[in-house]
Amino acid sequence: MSAVVWTAAGSLLAWLWLLLGQGFFWRTDVRLPSRVEPDEWPSVCVVVPARDEAAVLPAALPSLLAQDYPGRAEIFLVDDGSSDGTGDLARELARRHGGLPLTVGSPGEPPAGWTGKLWAVRHGLGLARAREPEYVLLTDADIAHRPDSLRELVAAARSGGFDVVSQMARLRVESVWERLVVPAFVYFFAQLYPFRRIAGEGRTAAAAGGCVLLRAETAERARIPEAIRHAVIDDVALARAVKGSGGRVWLGLAERVDSVRPYPRLRDLWRMVSRSAYAQLRHRPLLLAGTVAGLALVYLVPPVAALAGLAAGRTPAAVLGGLAWLVMAGTYVPMLRYYRQPLWLAPLLPFTAFLYLLMTVDSAVQHYRGRGAAWKGRTYTRPDALPDEG
């Protein structure tokens, strides 16, 4: 047997394991768990870190102001050094729409050892702490919530005894590149962090930063955000801190939460992924090499083996590669349905995976060029040099 056949066979075995042994990551039926409305609704503070968000705020903030929540709820928007009038716009939207009370605060520039977003979250939690809420909802400025979103999150947390209930917001898919790249982004995330395993007692922990309902008492116990102050991928770090302190975490796909941020061009999506991809690999070259090799074996080998086998008349390579490609496409179909996209995009997943491979390599290149991870105009050139969590 040729090397191509052996490699195609290895790819097929990898896909059979992913299909059955990786927490059924490809299924999209992990939604808010069963819940019963509490007899007495706990108080909630909503914390919104916002830096230069005037473009998306009119489509998102009114949805928070209009939350139909039976208990006491208040919004704290943290204007993190914006230059586009984000804070003033937030106040104007609150005057225009009414609804939940809104406070706009400003934390000043973050000190050394803090990423900007988590410094803003710290300031928002400090403002909220004076209200002594039982829960805090951390949500981004580009996230729109249905009117019953908050009450459903709280009911799920109370009913299931969860310290964190997080939903992966449904991202926008309107441009050609969004249709090609965005569903795959959530698919790859679920492959890394299978949702079914997160709610269990194992070590798998993750959250989606756009929508995180956090028990205030748990935040104190887990020392959030101080314990994760240097994290670039703050949502996963938060979930790990909570689970490490003995808390329970739940993550699933959203039905009432949507991102309104557009990514119309490939370079917009490229920047979104590459800014934190190498941080996900803990800035380790060996992990980068292993990731590139793994992506090539799992996603690129099947179509190459299938097409090359057909062209050269090598039936074993064509069959093995074709079967692996078929399994791959089949696991992608549920995510395409969730995003209401045409199923003919499923066989194009290898091309999208190749784009992600290039984005990951570019993330590493930017890191070693001293540009590092970036968030809203701030660049963290040496995350490895930031203080330890202790």
Side-chain angles (χ1 to χ4, degrees), residues 13-251:
L13 288 174
W15 271 110
L16 292 175
W17 179 82
L18 287 169
L19 177 69
L20 302 173
Q22 186 61 0
F24 295 100
F25 77 94
W26 44 273
R27 295 182 59 172
T28 56
D29 56 350
V30 182
R31 311 295 172 90
L32 275 179
S34 59
R35 51 209 177 272
V36 177
E37 293 193 347
D39 295 331
E40 184 176 346
W41 289 90
S43 62
V44 181
C45 286
V46 181
V47 174
V48 186
R51 180 174 170 85
D52 292 334
E53 296 286 19
V56 296
L57 214 56
L61 184 58
S63 73
L64 285 174
L65 296 167
Q67 284 300 297
D68 177 21
Y69 186 68
R72 181 167 59 88
E74 186 172 351
I75 303 170
F76 295 91
L77 185 138
V78 183
D79 181 9
D80 183 16
S82 299
S83 59
D84 64 352
T86 289
D88 291 336
L89 176 59
R91 295 184 185 94
E92 173 59 28
L93 290 170
R95 283 193 294 268
R96 189 187 312 164
H97 292 275
L100 297 184
L102 171 74
T103 299
V104 177
S106 180
E109 284 299 307
W114 283 83
T115 58
K117 181 179 178 181
L118 285 170
W119 181 245
V121 168
R122 179 184 183 275
H123 184 74
L125 289 176
L127 295 173
R129 197 168 290 122
R131 305 296 196 270
E132 298 183 344
E134 186 172 337
Y135 291 95
V136 176
L137 174 64
L138 305 177
T139 186
D140 290 341
D142 65 318
I143 302 298
H145 294 255
R146 304 284 176 86
D148 61 347
S149 173
L150 182 56
R151 66 188 296 160
E152 293 294 332
L153 286 165
V154 171
R158 272 291 187 87
S159 298
F162 294 108
D163 298 275
V164 168
V165 172
S166 179
Q167 289 187 288
M168 177 73 71
R170 200 189 301 260
L171 305 176
R172 200 187 88 142
V173 282
E174 295 182 13
S175 72
V176 171
W177 288 110
E178 286 171 339
R179 294 174 186 273
L180 189 65
V181 175
V182 165
F185 176 82
V186 182
Y187 173 89
F188 293 142
F189 185 93
Q191 193 175 81
L192 285 173
Y193 305 103
F195 296 162
R196 279 175 169 75
R197 292 182 179 174
I198 291 171
E201 296 182 357
R203 297 181 59 185
T204 304
C211 178
V212 179
L213 184 73
L214 172 65
R215 191 187 299 272
E217 179 183 350
T218 301
E220 294 280 352
R221 185 175 68 243
R223 296 177 51 244
I224 292 170
E226 285 78 9
I228 60 171
R229 62 190 179 276
H230 62 284
V232 175
I233 309 175
D234 53 273
D235 44 11
V236 174
L238 182 149
R240 286 174 176 167
V242 168
K243 213 166 191 183
S245 69
R248 297 186 62 205
V249 178
W250 184 93
L251 171 64

